[in-house]
Structure formats: C-alpha cells, structure tokens
Amino acid sequence: MKRTLRIVAIVVVVLIVLVVIAPFLIPVDKFRPTIEEKASQVLGRKVQLGNLSLSLISGSLSAESVSIGDDPKFSPSPFLTAKSLKVGVEIMPLIFSKTLNVTGITIESPEVVLLHNPAGQWNYSTLGGAAAKSQQKEASTSPADLSVQKFSLKDGRIIVGSTSNQKRSTYDHVSVVASNFSMTSKFPVTVTADLPSGGKFKLDGTAGPIDQQDTALTPMDAKLEITGLDLASTGFVDASAGLGGLLDLSANLSSQNGEAETKGNAKISKALFIAGGSSAGVPVTVDFNTKYNLGKSTGILEPSTLKIGSAAAHLNGTYQTAGEATVVNIKLDAKDMPAKDLEAFLPALGIILPKGTSLQAGTLNADLNLTGPLSKLITTGNVGLFNGKLAGFDLGSKMSSIASLAGIKSGKDLDIEKLTTNLRMAPDGLKAENFVAIVPSVANLSGAGTVDSKNNLDFKMVAALTSTLGGAGSPVSELGGILGKGAGGGGGCKSGTTVPFQIKGTTADPKFIPDVGGLAAGMLKSQLGCAAGLGSGLGSGAGKDATKAPADAINSLGGLFKKKKP
C-alpha cells in the first residue's frame, strides 16, 4: 500500500513539474512568425504578435499583444490592437511532435477602428478578401482558410468614423462569439455591445462563408435587437442633420449575394427630425421593410407604415449611403390622421403651436416628398387640416384691429373648416405658399410666408371678412360717411371687403399687424363698388369735397387705427 501511495505521489510531482517546467522547455515563441505569417495571409493585413507563452493548465498560447494593420487606403494606423491574444491549442501534438493545432482564439480588450471614405466604402471590406488572395504564396482556386472551434472577442471597443472627419463615436464592451469559425463555411455568431450614450445592441444568427472579394458582402441571417440607441451619436449619421431620438429596433436581417433585406419594427422616442426643432412628446413607430445593395450602397424602402398614436402614414422610396451623407428620396402619403394625436409630435418637425393652445379636433392629410442628404433634407408637398379646432386660441383678439372692422366677436377656441398649403421645409426653415384657411367665425384667409429656423414668422395675408361690414361706429361706417355725403352714408356693405395684414412674431406668440394703406385702398374700392348712388352723390352732393374723399378716408382710417391697438 505504501509502495502504491509512493508511486502516485511521484507521478503527481512529475506532473506538477511538467506543468511548471514544460512551458519553459518548449520554445513556443518560435511559432510566432508562423502564426503571424498565416494570419497575415488569411486576413490580407499585416499581423504582429507580442512574445508568446504556453499555459498547460489552460491549454493555450498567449501573446502579450496583437496588432492588425488597416487598409493603407484608409489609415496608416492599426485596424485592431489588443492587450492580449490567447490561442487554444492541442497540448499533446504540440509537446511531442511540435505540431500546432488551434482549437480557439480569444482576443482580450481589443480596440477596432471602423472608417468609411467619401465613396461610402468601409475599411473592413478588404479584410480577408481580395488582398488576402493576392498574398497567397501558392496559386490555388480555393481561398485561404482559418478554422477554429471557437473565436471570441471580449470586452472590446469599436470606434466609428469617417476618413474626412475627426469626430468619432465609441461602442464599448463589445463581445463577439463565433463557434466552428471558418473562412469557407457558415458558422453561428453572436455580437453584443454597449451603445454610445447608453443602450444595448445584440445580433444573433449565422454568417459565412467569408466573401473573398469584399468582406462586407459576407452572407448573414440573423436577428437584430437594439434598445436605447441615441441617433445623434451613432457615427453613421451626420450630426448636423438635426436627427435625434432614442431608437428601439427589432428586425430580421438576411444578406445573400450582395443583397441585404431588413424587416421589422422600429420605435423612436423623443424624436427630432429637423435642426432647430425640439423632441417629440410621443413616440413614432415604423413597420418597415428595406432592401439594400451592399455593392452599390443603394437601397429601396418597400411600402412601410409610420404610426403616431392612431395616426398612420405610408412611406416608400429609395436611399443611397455612398458618400459622406445618406441621400434619400422618400414619399410620404397620409390620409385622415387625427390631429389630436399629432400635436405632441409637431415639435420634432420644428412646428410650435401658439402658447397655451392645443389641437382638439380635426384630421390631417399630407402628400410629401423628402429628398436630398439627411444633413440638408428638403421636404416639399401639400398638407391640409380639415374640421380642426385650435383650443385656447382667440383669433378675434389677436386680430383686434382687423376684427373691429366687421364686429368679429372674440372666442376662446378657433374652429377651422379647412386649411391647406403647399410647403417647402428645409434646415433653414419652412416656406408656405398658396396658404388658404376657411375660418367660419372670422374670415377666409389666404397668403404666403415663411417660418425660419428660430420659428420667426413672416407672412403676408389677406382676410376676406365673412361678417357684415360697416356697422355703426365701425371704420367702414365712418369711411362711408366721408365718401358718401348724401350717397347714403355708412349704411353698411355685405360685398366681402378684403383686409390685408401681416403675421409677425413667433409661432408660439404670433402678432397680427394690419396693412393700413392696403386696408384703406381695399375698403375704398369696396365702398365705391357697393354704394349704388355713390357716383351721383359724389357729383351733386359732395361737390368739390368729393375730390378730397379718398385722401380723407385714408387719413381717417389711419386715425382710427391709432385709437385701437393691434
């Protein structure tokens, strides 16, 4: 028994000695040039490793550092750097026959720099592709291959940017796990990461075989999950576009023969779609389906649905990502969207309702085209509001100087039978043409104007008053008295006088300013037209004073407006 125990003890000691001493006896560092050469051949990039060491306990070779060069067309700096590299190996073949059989690769704390050039090409596209084939020493129709049971990238960092812009976005705690990895066959892969400014990213599916001409064209079939992505910090969209919000996305991604299709659902909270706007108070969701040509960097947005509450719009069009900015040509068509559901979303488009007001009723129609780069997006088309109610907005009070002409009564709400306009919305503001609004209690309004990026208003409008003009004591009555003098005086006129005015101030606090000169001329024309006996009155009753009537009318009207504050 003692003899057996002694033998066991000796074996244990020998094993311990082997574990401790063997790594020093096996010149593993001599494998470094071989590993560097094979890795460089496979990746098509220069690979450099630090000193190698062997651990029998973990069955792995370790490199003190690792560096993979970038495509020289993009940067002279490394594409990837890491603190350490562990290569799992079969110990017995390594000890007894000096044969290196790789079972796994683990890269610890790597930093990867992803860059795209003005043509939309990425620096990872040539990784393991055509550049690798050109470095193969022996002519062969089969591509270089690297096969390992498991490839892992732990606690990495990915930096995304452009060759023409120093600004970068950083994705931390990146993890990549690929099982049965091979350059020439399909393999399962899982990628997770922390997103800039918070949020999570996960891709789970299969990829491969690696495309030998362009790594970006590698086939993939995966489930994509994104939560809390800050759109302004992605590094993939020009920050000057004004695009913002938090994106949650769930989609299926399929890529084959250079064509990628992504289909799923996206929700954007605190959305912002124009520089100078403010975050939307309600989320917008999109059920989308898009097809993308990876080689041409062009895509098609198949018919998709955008929803804000119960309001829905339909989208379709094309887009192109080649170049410094994504260029889109999207059509938006919306019918009978509840205006109340849209109210909290309007700030995302730079539209601010007057302070203290709210959209309580009505439906909105829109037929719009969104074209150009996202940083300079132009939206054109027409919109219409029907049977709307802007609660808390007293147009009669706002237009007090104008309203007094027809005895328009004030009211706490504004009912809008119809409001339509052709608009052009750009980063520098909004331009509205052919603006027409039918407001039963006030007037039919028409005109055109602009809203700049700071929400300043500059509109020239005309009000075709719907109320009876010329009531006792009104400017029309007094003007009629000046003009008539024997022609019936200010007996009133229902011929529809038009009143020109301007809208200044801001969208939150609009100012309605009457055009006194234009108003006098318009009222004069109306009074001349509706007073049946005015011609004879001016000739017989007014005498020489008649020639002064127009001037007196304008002076009188100016005096009237001095008495009434706009």
Side-chain angles (χ1 to χ4, degrees):
M1 182 67 179
K2 291 182 179 181
R3 179 182 177 85
T4 301
L5 291 175
R6 182 179 299 177
I7 292 173
V8 171
I10 292 173
V11 171
V12 171
V13 170
V14 170
L15 289 175
I16 293 174
V17 170
L18 285 174
V19 170
V20 175
I21 298 178
F24 298 97
L25 299 178
I26 301 174
V28 293
D29 201 51
K30 78 174 187 177
F31 290 106
R32 179 154 54 97
T34 302
I35 296 174
E36 289 178 338
E37 181 181 3
K38 185 173 182 179
S40 297
Q41 179 184 354
V42 171
L43 298 178
R45 305 283 180 86
K46 185 177 181 180
V47 177
Q48 293 178 306
L49 301 176
N51 293 329
L52 296 181
S53 60
L54 175 65
S55 171
L56 293 179
I57 296 176
S58 61
S60 64
L61 289 173
S62 297
E64 293 178 355
S65 62
V66 60
S67 173
I68 300 175
D70 204 344
D71 186 328
K73 295 179 182 179
F74 288 85
S75 174
S77 301
F79 169 77
L80 178 148
T81 57
K83 294 180 179 179
S84 67
L85 170 68
K86 292 183 179 180
V87 181
V89 296
E90 294 180 357
I91 296 299
M92 300 309 291
L94 180 63
I95 294 176
F96 294 107
S97 63
K98 304 297 188 294
T99 301
L100 182 64
N101 295 329
V102 177
T103 60
I105 297 176
T106 301
I107 302 176
E108 298 279 356
S109 304
E111 182 173 285
V112 179
V113 180
L114 299 181
L115 299 175
H116 64 87
N117 61 20
Q121 298 171 326
W122 289 87
N123 59 343
Y124 64 82
S125 295
T126 56
L127 190 66
K133 293 179 69 177
S134 67
Q135 294 188 32
Q136 293 181 37
K137 290 186 176 181
E138 299 180 359
S140 174
T141 57
S142 62
D145 190 21
L146 172 66
S147 299
V148 295
Q149 294 178 12
K150 185 176 181 180
F151 173 86
S152 298
L153 186 151
K154 295 182 177 180
D155 195 24
R157 170 179 291 182
I158 295 179
I159 300 173
V160 179
S162 167
T163 56
S164 60
N165 193 331
Q166 295 300 315
K167 188 173 182 179
R168 302 285 191 268
S169 294
T170 301
Y171 296 75
D172 286 318
H173 305 297
V174 179
S175 171
V176 180
V177 178
S179 303
N180 300 317
F181 174 81
S182 172
M183 299 286 287
T184 59
S185 62
K186 184 183 293 187
F187 53 89
V189 62
T190 300
V191 181
T192 60
D194 288 347
L195 302 175
S197 303
K200 300 291 183 180
F201 171 96
K202 183 177 181 180
L203 183 146
D204 190 10
T206 60
I210 304 298
D211 190 279
Q212 296 298 301
Q213 299 298 323
D214 187 340
T215 306
L217 303 182
T218 297
M220 178 175 290
D221 190 359
K223 176 74 173 179
L224 178 62
E225 297 283 346
I226 296 175
T227 58
L229 171 61
D230 185 347
L231 294 176
S233 64
T234 62
F236 293 94
V237 178
D238 189 346
S240 65
L243 184 66
L246 298 177
L247 172 68
D248 295 326
L249 182 145
S250 178
N252 292 313
L253 171 63
S254 177
S255 173
Q256 189 72 33
N257 299 323
E259 293 284 343
E261 181 175 10
T262 307
K263 185 176 183 179
N265 175 269
K267 183 179 76 171
I268 305 176
S269 304
K270 300 180 180 179
L272 178 60
F273 292 107
I274 190 170
S278 56
S279 298
V282 292
V284 52
T285 62
V286 183
D287 296 323
F288 67 92
N289 182 12
T290 177
K291 295 180 179 179
Y292 184 71
N293 187 302
L294 296 166
K296 298 179 180 179
S297 299
T298 58
I300 298 175
L301 178 64
E302 300 287 357
S304 303
T305 303
L306 180 149
K307 297 179 181 178
I308 304 169
S310 60
H314 301 287
L315 305 169
N316 67 85
T318 62
Y319 59 95
Q320 182 174 359
T321 60
E324 287 300 299
T326 298
V327 178
V328 302
N329 185 5
I330 303 296
K331 181 176 179 59
L332 182 148
D333 178 52
K335 302 295 183 184
D336 300 327
M337 295 190 297
K340 188 174 182 180
D341 288 1
L342 297 173
E343 179 182 350
F345 181 73
L346 293 178
L349 303 175
I351 301 174
I352 308 298
L353 294 179
K355 187 177 180 180
T357 66
S358 61
L359 278 171
Q360 291 297 314
T363 58
L364 185 74
N365 291 351
D367 185 5
L368 302 173
N369 292 303
L370 292 74
T371 58
L374 289 178
S375 58
K376 299 178 181 178
L377 189 64
I378 304 296
T379 301
T380 58
N382 58 78
V383 297
L385 175 67
F386 302 90
N387 299 317
K389 174 177 286 190
L390 185 60
F393 188 76
D394 185 354
L395 183 60
S397 175
K398 292 285 185 181
M399 299 175 64
S400 58
S401 295
I402 302 170
S404 62
L405 297 174
I408 297 173
K409 297 180 180 180
S410 298
K412 65 177 182 178
D413 298 332
L414 178 66
D415 291 318
I416 303 171
E417 181 180 314
K418 175 182 178 182
L419 186 157
T420 60
T421 185
N422 297 329
L423 61 78
R424 180 184 186 275
M425 191 161 52
D428 59 349
L430 181 150
K431 182 178 181 180
E433 295 181 333
N434 298 321
F435 183 97
V436 176
I438 299 176
V439 183
S441 62
V442 180
N444 294 340
L445 309 177
S446 61
T450 61
V451 184
D452 68 16
S453 59
K454 297 182 179 179
N455 290 314
N456 293 309
L457 297 166
D458 185 12
F459 275 75
K460 292 183 179 180
M461 304 291 295
V462 173
L465 300 177
T466 58
S467 299
T468 299
L469 296 177
S474 73
V476 171
S477 177
E478 296 189 27
L479 181 61
I482 295 171
L483 292 172
K485 292 187 178 181
C493 177
K494 299 182 180 180
S495 59
T497 296
T498 58
V499 180
F501 64 98
Q502 296 180 347
I503 306 178
K504 297 288 187 179
T506 65
T507 55
D509 186 19
K511 306 293 185 183
F512 294 79
I513 304 170
D515 180 353
V516 176
L519 178 59
M523 291 175 62
L524 174 60
K525 183 178 179 180
S526 175
Q527 192 72 11
L528 288 172
C530 69
L534 185 59
S536 59
L538 287 174
S540 60
K544 295 181 180 180
D545 292 336
T547 59
K548 299 180 180 180
D552 291 342
I554 294 173
N555 292 333
S556 176
L557 189 60
L560 290 170
F561 277 111
K562 290 180 181 178
K563 298 175 185 178
K564 299 178 176 65
K565 295 182 180 180

